[in-house]
Amino acid sequence: MVKLLKLAFRRLFRKGEHTATRIISLTAGLAFGLLLLSEVLYNYSFDSFYPDTNRIYVVHENFRRDKSLDKMDSSPRVSGAIAPGLKADVPGIEAATRLNNIGSSVFYTEDKKSYQAQFSLADENLFDVLPVPLISGNPKEILKSPMACMVSSKIAEEIGGDVTGKVIEIKRYPGKKITIAGVFAELPENTNYKYDILISMVSTGQFFSWDGSTNWLGNDRYYAAVKLSPGVSPESLAPAVRQMQVKHQEIERIEQQQGGMVLKYSFIPIRKLYSDGVKDMIIILTTIAFAVLFVSFMNYILLTLSALIKRAKSSAIHKTCGAEAKNLQLLILSETVLLFLISLVGALLLILILRPVAEVQLGHKLISVFNAHVLWPLFFLIILLVILTSYLPGRFFSRIPVATAFRDYQQKKNKWKLVLLSFQFVGASFILTILVIVSMQYNSLITADHGYRTKGVYFGATGGMEASKISVLLNELRAVPEIEKVGLGHGLPIEGAAGNNIHSDDGEKELFNIADFYFIDENYLSILDIPVFEGDSFSQQNSVVNDLLISKRGAEKLKVFNGWKNVVGKQVDISEHGKSTIRGVFPDFIVNTITNPNSRPSVFYYYPAEKFEQVRAERSSFPFYVLIKTNETSEAGMLKKITEIFNRFLPYQDAVVKSLEMEQKASYQSEHGFRNAMMAGNAIILIITVIGLLGYTSNEAARRRKELAIRRISGATLSDILRVFILDLEFIAVPAVLLGLAGAWLTVSKWMQNFATKIPLHWGIFMVCSLFILLLVALIAAYNYTRTANRNPVEALRYE
Amino acid sequence: MIYLTNIDKYYDSKFQRTFVLKAVNLEVKEGEFLSIMGPSGSGKSTLLNIIGLLDAPSAGEYSLYDKSVLDLKEKAKVEYHRNFIGFIFQAYHLIEEMTVYENIETPLIYKGVKGRDRQAMVADLLDRFNMVAKKDLFPQQLSGGQQQLVGIARAIIGKPKLLLADEPTGNLHTTQGEMIMEVLRELNNEGMTIIQVTHNEKFAEYGKRIIRLEDGIIRKDVIKASPQPSPMEREKESKVMMVESGEPNVRIV
Ligand SMILES: Nc1ncnc2c1ncn2[C@@H]1O[C@H](COP(=O)(O)OP(=O)(O)O)[C@@H](O)[C@H]1O
Ligand SMILES: [Mg+2]
């Protein structure tokens, strides 16, 4: 084999064998295809780094409120007592742990330096289930001690020196001092539950107004993971789990009261948790990756076969030397291996060069992809591809009849070439159509009316700001001439909203779940340009704390459930808030994003500015935003200006002010990435197809030189000749393009199935895309055939 | 050794059947040196290809060593090519990306000869043809005569019983051609059966028997009683000196 590779290497620099073109097409195809496939495999590698990862499961809560719903809501978050309960009551569970996410936040060390980290509360059993290497400290002790924490090696490095014993403070929770007692190795990126700093679970009360860590029902915000004993199947645990529920949750009584309600726990393998959530995207990415690989490989085979025709004699020579088919196939295999190796190196270089771009698109570091779960499958795929792509040319090469090879060997049939070429047309039209639709959909997303204003709207978080500074800040902001309006609000539409339930009048039943945006002041809605079309918007004169605005969808539901004609002025009872009066109705807007919309009705509660201040004074972690509406004309520099004002009121000058317009755009990052991936794939496929077409038409023109000349002599005009030859090509291009369109239609339908607004899949789009491909085919063919046809026909005939 | 009976070879085109060989009967005995002559297009190469199992006749019988070889499987044909038949061509047909050494070695690799034996065998032949110094050159770096020597070396390294040469001197100067013919004669003297195609009357005389082919039919079949000794033969040596115009050949071992 080494010998064969050496020979293949010597062949590399020979002219007329399309070697460079073949390598380019392979490199492009491999770079793109492997990048996409590694991304797909990466999704399957989540949490695979844990030892015994196949025995680790994440506890899911499956919930159905009543019989009318046939689907259960399933969520990987449960109440605080579930994990310890499972460990105690369910045999077969070797270990169980729970984590409670506090979120990403800035924190300070005692020397006033600030850092950013992802915080989570965790119980002392964490490393029994989800172990990571420990650097210092005993987690069993630390995660049981109040206000003690462990930090990741990365954070420890950032802080520097010996971190043990150092005291930190989270920006959102001023005054809550936490002591670092241990260090663990930083988690890889491919994990479902990421944390940089672990705070002991017993400290929950310090960060939440109520400690739900041992609560059985409700407050289901705990990520619970269990490790099963070897050989135990998660299904077999169901009876014991039910017994636990009976014992602690009074599940039977609740079920009796609320006929049809179901609450169940299930165990999802931690390895599958992530990939299950992105299945559609995985299917689409895989399809596109294989489309690109397929096209580039077909092109490779096409070019290789053309080159082999020129080498027909060499096949015969080897045979007279005693080579059998097997030897010749090995010869071709070795050449394929070499070209693959070169292309692979090229592809890796290309990926390396494009790494910054790729990392932005993928949203994670490329290096994270280099794990065994990604690399091995790719390795075997490449081996398989090498064998497949060398098989056809090898078979062809070994079957050239010797006697004809020694004469001027001319391929008579060219059907197989057309078949290979048509595969490229399928791929080209498939990707082009997807690209066009994805781009159109993306544009419609970022320009779509979300039901609220984003232009000229900024928002700044007030975390870490003393209550007394709030009103001064508001006044300062209002004094800026470019600022039209300033308001306060607990949340933002792009962030989505927490959920609460509207109860029936008698308080017996839950009517429906709402997206709860909590509290806003009287300026919030006008800044976002959300109108109140029934009743009145909040105002200082006629609204009191806890007055309520509900969206149209919610109002309609209330009318149906309660038999009301009108909702304004009525009282409703919503969990967490109690009874309050509906002041008005506003149109529903997009909660979250169009691609991942939340279709629950939404509500706002009224807090005047003083109330925001008052609650902040009582509870320093009470979060809310300041919203700012600027003049449309004063765009440039506003962000900086507002940030500077904010900084004057923050002890550490670390204000985070953002433009709502930019944030909304950023929320479509993944669609943006997808579109860019399409663009890259499209460019590659088009280039490859053009290369393939040029090669094919040149060969055809050469092969049919005589025919062209005879037609020419017998008086056919150039356009007559072109028509015949181009029609020949289009004859196979049309069905191929149709096939590509069908594939594209299926793929984009799948991609868009959950979007709130979809562009219509107009037939015109498909029409234009297919015309483009067909025209491209015609133009390239016309170009190459014209060149040949315009040569002196007499000369062409003499050639023979 | 070779029995051809009523061999036809024809090609069908749209309207007619063109015969390249028609009712060819030929017997060749072991140790013969046969020259085939005839005008261009008379079917000489076709006949040689059929004998060499590279092409199949359209009709007729062919037996080699008393065994019919017409319906052989690919595998069995390969065995013949590995062990019985060697080929030399007008255009040399060396493998361009291989050195002289590797070209000569190739048949042995396909035959499955072990590395050490291979080395010895190739070294022997290089020595015999005075090409030791050229072993690492590529074919394009050699003169035509040298290339043909390599071609012969490659053809005979597997010790075939039968050597088929299709115009082996067609691309060579007379002096180089004579050298090649001397090599062939020597091989024949060692017992190898040789069938060559040639246009050159003088070179045809090297054969012990000459047949003339015209339009696919054997017109003449002359067996010479005793071959005249050529001027070259008198100064016959055990090793053939390379006769090159201009540059005197120095052997470097
Ligand atoms: N594959 C083929 N198809 C059609 N005609 C062929 C083919 N191979 C050879 N011929 C014809 O057979 C005739 C004899 O060819 P060949 O044996 O090469 O002659 P020679 O070697 O005597 O010059 C030629 O006229 C040639 O055109
Ligand atoms: Mg010939």
Side-chain angles (χ1 to χ4, degrees):
Chain A
M1 196 67 198
V2 178
K3 238 189 183 91
L4 286 174
L5 280 177
K6 193 166 81 188
L7 291 183
F9 186 73
R10 289 184 192 150
R11 286 211 74 85
L12 218 53
F13 305 101
R14 299 173 51 82
K15 276 194 186 151
E17 294 190 1
H18 315 295
T19 311
T21 330
R22 277 191 282 166
I23 290 179
I24 290 170
S25 114
L26 265 190
T27 302
L30 279 176
F32 186 77
L34 292 185
L35 195 63
L36 280 197
L37 284 182
S38 64
E39 183 60 18
V40 167
L41 290 168
Y42 175 72
N43 290 324
Y44 284 103
S45 75
F46 268 59
D47 285 325
S48 59
F49 56 88
Y50 287 120
D52 300 323
T53 179
N54 292 325
R55 285 201 276 138
I56 306 174
Y57 295 80
V58 174
V59 187
H60 276 56
E61 182 183 271
N62 306 289
F63 189 68
R64 192 175 71 182
R65 193 158 296 109
D66 53 58
K67 276 201 208 82
S68 65
L69 303 158
D70 51 73
K71 247 176 74 184
M72 304 246 273
D73 278 335
S74 180
S75 135
R77 295 289 187 275
V78 295
S79 303
I82 304 301
L86 287 169
K87 169 84 171 87
D89 295 342
V90 180
I93 291 187
E94 191 177 291
T97 187
R98 63 208 195 280
L99 289 139
N100 182 5
N101 184 30
I102 298 184
S104 175
S105 176
V106 168
F107 70 94
Y108 310 105
T109 45
E110 280 170 309
D111 52 6
K112 304 285 175 236
K113 289 208 183 100
S114 71
Y115 308 89
Q116 177 87 31
Q118 180 77 32
F119 286 86
S120 192
L121 294 156
D123 65 27
E124 68 276 14
N125 304 314
L126 177 66
F127 294 111
D128 295 342
V129 184
L130 305 170
V132 290
L134 290 167
I135 292 163
S136 71
N138 176 4
K140 282 270 177 216
E141 289 305 320
I142 300 167
L143 295 178
K144 245 179 356 198
S145 318
M147 295 310 265
C149 75
M150 300 182 76
V151 301
S152 75
S153 50
K154 182 174 144 247
I155 298 288
E157 220 165 89
E158 281 174 22
I159 298 174
D162 182 13
V163 294
T164 332
K166 285 195 175 163
V167 174
I168 60 168
E169 207 179 315
I170 304 175
K171 185 180 175 189
R172 261 173 43 210
Y173 302 98
K176 312 279 185 186
K177 303 218 184 285
I178 318 159
T179 311
I180 301 177
V183 181
F184 56 86
E186 194 200 353
L187 281 177
E189 264 188 302
N190 51 342
T191 180
N192 284 291
Y193 198 96
K194 177 104 179 122
Y195 52 81
D196 301 310
I197 298 184
L198 291 170
I199 305 172
S200 57
M201 185 66 65
V202 288
S203 322
T204 306
Q206 302 281 334
F207 303 96
F208 292 88
S209 45
W210 175 68
D211 182 349
S213 61
T214 52
N215 174 51
W216 281 98
L217 206 60
N219 194 229
D220 40 3
R221 51 174 295 124
Y222 288 80
Y223 179 80
V226 297
K227 187 179 202 170
L228 303 192
S229 306
V232 173
S233 86
E235 293 79 23
S236 69
L237 303 177
V241 172
R242 172 76 186 178
Q243 265 175 17
M244 176 194 81
Q245 286 185 279
V246 170
K247 187 166 149 197
H248 300 285
Q249 287 179 327
E250 299 186 75
I251 190 73
E252 283 174 344
R253 187 179 62 82
I254 297 175
E255 276 177 357
Q256 230 154 33
Q257 259 175 18
Q258 320 232 340
M261 193 211 78
V262 179
L263 174 63
K264 269 192 191 160
Y265 299 101
S266 61
F267 303 93
I268 306 293
I270 197 166
R271 291 277 318 271
K272 283 180 68 189
L273 193 57
Y274 190 81
S275 55
D276 277 356
V278 289
K279 246 186 196 134
D280 290 346
M281 207 58 190
I282 285 176
I283 292 171
I284 291 167
L285 286 183
T286 312
T287 314
I288 289 162
F290 276 107
V292 171
L293 280 179
F294 188 67
V295 167
S296 83
F297 282 66
M298 285 303 145
N299 191 52
Y300 174 84
I301 293 177
L302 185 66
L303 291 173
T304 304
L305 287 175
S306 302
L308 284 183
I309 290 174
K310 293 196 182 120
R311 284 170 60 188
K313 271 205 181 84
S314 125
S315 153
I317 297 169
H318 280 278
K319 279 192 187 163
T320 58
C321 287
E324 50 184 329
K326 199 174 69 191
N327 301 117
L328 293 178
Q329 280 187 328
L330 216 57
L331 192 80
I332 299 299
L333 176 69
S334 64
E335 290 178 13
T336 315
V337 167
L338 183 71
L339 288 191
F340 257 77
L341 283 177
I342 295 172
S343 308
L344 210 55
V345 170
L348 289 180
L349 281 177
L350 200 64
I351 292 176
L352 212 61
I353 293 168
L354 297 175
R355 198 178 76 175
V357 190
E359 286 187 349
V360 168
Q361 301 301 343
L362 302 177
H364 61 81
K365 291 202 204 82
L366 269 187
I367 196 81
S368 308
V369 167
F370 284 97
N371 63 60
H373 296 272
V374 175
L375 294 183
W376 278 113
L378 283 187
F379 176 75
F380 286 113
L381 177 73
I382 290 172
I383 300 278
L384 186 75
L385 288 175
V386 169
I387 292 170
L388 285 181
T389 40
S390 79
Y391 174 75
L392 200 61
R395 185 185 142 99
F396 166 79
F397 191 61
S398 64
R399 288 192 173 195
I400 299 174
V402 184
T404 28
F406 280 136
R407 261 165 230 290
D408 186 22
Y409 183 68
Q410 283 278 341
Q411 184 70 28
K412 285 209 193 64
K413 285 178 287 181
N414 68 339
K415 287 256 162 42
W416 53 271
K417 274 191 191 171
L418 284 175
V419 171
L420 290 178
L421 201 62
S422 65
F423 284 141
Q424 297 188 33
F425 296 155
V426 175
S429 55
F430 172 70
I431 291 265
L432 180 73
T433 315
I434 292 184
L435 169 73
V436 170
I437 293 172
V438 167
S439 300
M440 287 170 69
Q441 177 69 33
Y442 173 70
N443 280 334
S444 90
L445 286 180
I446 56 169
T447 54
D449 183 7
H450 285 60
Y452 57 90
R453 166 166 43 210
T454 58
K455 199 154 177 53
V457 177
Y458 297 86
F459 60 97
T462 59
M465 197 180 292
E466 277 175 40
S468 58
K469 303 255 171 80
I470 303 279
S471 58
V472 197
L473 168 68
L474 296 183
N475 286 337
E476 289 247 349
L477 285 170
R478 287 191 177 113
V480 178
E482 293 95 333
I483 292 179
E484 278 180 5
K485 212 160 215 170
V486 180
L488 298 172
H490 182 275
L492 288 165
I494 46 166
E495 292 180 334
N500 268 317
N501 290 316
I502 296 196
H503 297 290
S504 60
D505 255 358
D506 52 13
E508 284 285 301
K509 255 172 67 189
E510 285 174 355
L511 294 179
F512 53 90
N513 194 264
I514 42 111
D516 190 348
F517 282 92
Y518 291 96
F519 314 104
I520 58 169
D521 72 352
E522 63 278 4
N523 297 314
Y524 183 97
L525 288 183
S526 63
I527 290 174
L528 291 183
D529 199 21
I530 297 173
V532 173
F533 62 87
E534 255 181 77
D536 293 312
S537 189
F538 294 146
S539 68
Q540 275 177 325
Q541 295 79 35
N542 55 19
S543 310
V544 295
V545 169
N546 258 352
D547 272 357
L548 171 76
L549 294 177
I550 190 160
S551 73
K552 182 157 181 283
R553 219 179 283 145
E556 297 301 326
K557 279 195 169 180
L558 280 178
K559 285 180 196 167
V560 173
F561 287 129
N562 288 340
W564 293 343
K565 286 233 160 59
N566 196 358
V567 298
V568 176
K570 293 276 189 336
Q571 290 235 316
V572 285
D573 179 9
I574 298 186
S575 49
E576 216 183 304
H577 296 274
K579 277 210 190 309
S580 34
T581 313
I582 299 174
R583 287 289 163 212
V585 182
F586 58 90
D588 284 274
F589 50 84
I590 303 270
V591 178
N592 254 328
T593 57
I594 290 177
T595 47
N596 184 21
N598 191 327
S599 55
R600 293 174 299 174
S602 44
V603 295
F604 291 106
Y605 281 90
Y606 180 61
Y607 262 17
E610 307 79 61
K611 179 74 179 170
F612 276 101
E613 273 181 48
Q614 187 193 328
V615 178
R616 169 61 60 84
E618 288 162 8
R619 184 155 60 91
S620 56
S621 62
F622 175 64
F624 57 92
Y625 290 114
V626 175
L627 266 74
I628 298 132
K629 164 82 179 76
T630 61
N631 289 329
E632 307 260 314
T633 47
S634 57
E635 281 298 296
M638 274 321 284
L639 193 65
K640 203 168 155 239
K641 201 164 180 176
I642 297 170
T643 310
E644 276 164 10
I645 299 175
F646 263 73
N647 273 337
R648 273 187 255 152
F649 300 94
L650 282 165
Y652 302 113
Q653 283 83 52
D654 50 2
V656 184
V657 178
K658 288 174 177 166
S659 143
L660 189 57
E661 193 179 359
M662 298 309 287
E663 286 303 298
Q664 191 187 72
K665 211 175 219 168
S667 65
Y668 295 109
Q669 174 71 36
S670 81
E671 286 73 25
H672 186 235
F674 187 43
R675 187 201 60 172
N676 288 355
M678 284 302 93
M679 273 187 172
N682 205 44
I684 290 168
I685 283 206
L686 278 184
I687 290 170
I688 292 172
T689 308
V690 168
I691 289 174
L693 254 177
L694 279 173
Y696 171 81
T697 47
S698 299
N699 283 342
E700 270 295 283
R703 199 173 65 88
R704 294 165 78 172
R705 194 172 47 203
K706 200 168 174 180
E707 184 189 337
L708 272 166
I710 290 169
R711 282 177 195 256
R712 202 86 166 110
I713 287 171
S714 49
T717 63
L718 183 61
S719 65
D720 289 336
I721 294 175
L722 287 184
R723 191 160 58 231
V724 174
F725 279 68
I726 291 173
L727 278 180
D728 263 10
L729 258 182
E730 299 287 2
F731 188 67
I732 63 132
V734 170
V737 164
L738 287 179
L739 211 64
L741 292 186
W745 184 78
L746 284 175
T747 309
V748 291
S749 312
K750 182 113 189 122
W751 178 61
M752 299 203 298
Q753 65 187 358
N754 293 323
F755 292 5
T757 59
K758 303 173 195 183
I759 58 154
L761 292 180
H762 193 261
W763 58 268
I765 302 172
F766 294 94
M767 183 83 171
V768 169
C769 290
S770 48
L771 278 184
F772 176 84
I773 299 284
L774 294 179
L775 213 66
L776 186 77
V777 171
L779 280 178
I780 290 174
Y783 167 74
N784 251 345
Y785 286 133
T786 309
R787 261 188 356 177
T788 311
N790 278 347
R791 282 206 203 113
N792 189 348
V794 182
E795 202 177 295
L797 287 178
R798 198 185 298 142
Y799 251 129
E800 291 287 308
Chain B
M1 182 188 195
I2 295 171
Y3 281 97
L4 293 176
T5 8
N6 272 327
I7 293 289
D8 281 350
K9 178 74 183 175
Y10 50 77
Y11 292 100
D12 288 326
S13 64
K14 263 179 206 145
F15 306 108
Q16 76 216 43
R17 173 169 286 187
T18 328
F19 277 89
V20 178
L21 295 175
K22 190 138 180 74
V24 170
N25 290 301
L26 183 67
E27 183 192 344
V28 182
K29 293 206 176 68
E30 190 128 31
E32 267 196 279
F33 190 157
L34 178 70
S35 297
I36 303 175
M37 296 195 72
S40 188
S42 55
K44 307 180 296 291
S45 298
T46 309
L47 180 58
L48 216 56
N49 285 342
I50 289 173
I51 294 174
L53 299 176
L54 298 180
D55 207 351
S58 312
E61 273 303 319
Y62 175 17
S63 59
L64 193 58
Y65 284 108
D66 299 326
K67 256 196 256 164
S68 174
V69 286
L70 278 190
D71 300 313
L72 284 183
K73 291 247 169 56
E74 200 56 44
K75 265 247 162 30
K77 270 190 202 166
V78 169
E79 283 311 312
Y80 276 102
H81 290 147
R82 284 180 182 171
N83 301 315
F84 285 102
I85 310 171
F87 293 89
I88 319 172
F89 307 93
Q90 176 176 9
Y92 325 128
H93 287 338
L94 300 179
I95 298 162
E96 294 165 53
E97 63 267 25
M98 287 187 185
T99 62
V100 166
Y101 185 96
E102 290 163 342
N103 260 291
I104 301 176
E105 188 189 27
T106 302
L108 296 181
I109 295 178
Y110 288 137
K111 217 171 151 173
V113 178
K114 289 268 157 13
R116 184 158 307 190
D117 298 341
R118 234 160 48 210
Q119 229 171 352
M121 290 165 85
V122 177
D124 259 7
L125 265 188
L126 282 171
D127 197 29
R128 172 172 182 178
F129 289 156
N130 267 338
M131 302 216 34
V132 177
K134 306 234 155 53
K135 74 177 170 53
D136 291 323
L137 297 182
F138 287 94
Q140 306 89 293
Q141 298 167 296
L142 299 178
S143 74
Q146 290 169 327
Q147 288 192 46
Q148 195 58 292
L149 272 187
V150 177
I152 296 177
R154 187 180 67 185
I156 63 169
I157 187 110
K159 305 214 158 57
K161 299 273 188 300
L162 175 64
L163 183 63
L164 300 175
D166 194 346
E167 303 191 40
T169 56
N171 287 4
L172 299 178
H173 303 303
T174 319
T175 35
Q176 290 182 327
E178 278 174 348
M179 172 201 59
I180 296 298
M181 292 316 297
E182 282 303 324
V183 175
L184 291 187
R185 169 176 297 174
E186 199 185 323
L187 288 170
N188 179 241
N189 288 341
E190 287 164 13
M192 196 176 287
T193 313
I194 296 176
I195 303 177
Q196 70 155 339
V197 167
T198 180
H199 283 295
N200 188 313
E201 293 284 349
K202 194 171 141 222
F203 292 158
E205 291 300 320
Y206 278 77
K208 295 173 184 165
R209 174 180 167 196
I210 301 173
I211 62 171
R212 281 179 197 278
L213 209 58
E214 264 170 49
D215 295 330
I217 297 164
I218 296 180
R219 297 283 177 201
K220 247 186 194 166
D221 191 341
V222 184
I223 302 175
K224 293 190 290 179
S226 66
Q228 301 166 352
S230 74
M232 294 282 283
E233 206 178 10
R234 263 174 261 135
E235 41 191 274
K236 204 171 93 181
E237 302 174 335
S238 62
K239 282 176 187 159
V240 183
M241 295 293 287
M242 299 253 300
V243 189
E244 290 266 354
S245 44
E247 140 207 13
N249 193 274
V250 188
R251 257 193 74 199
I252 309 155
V253 183

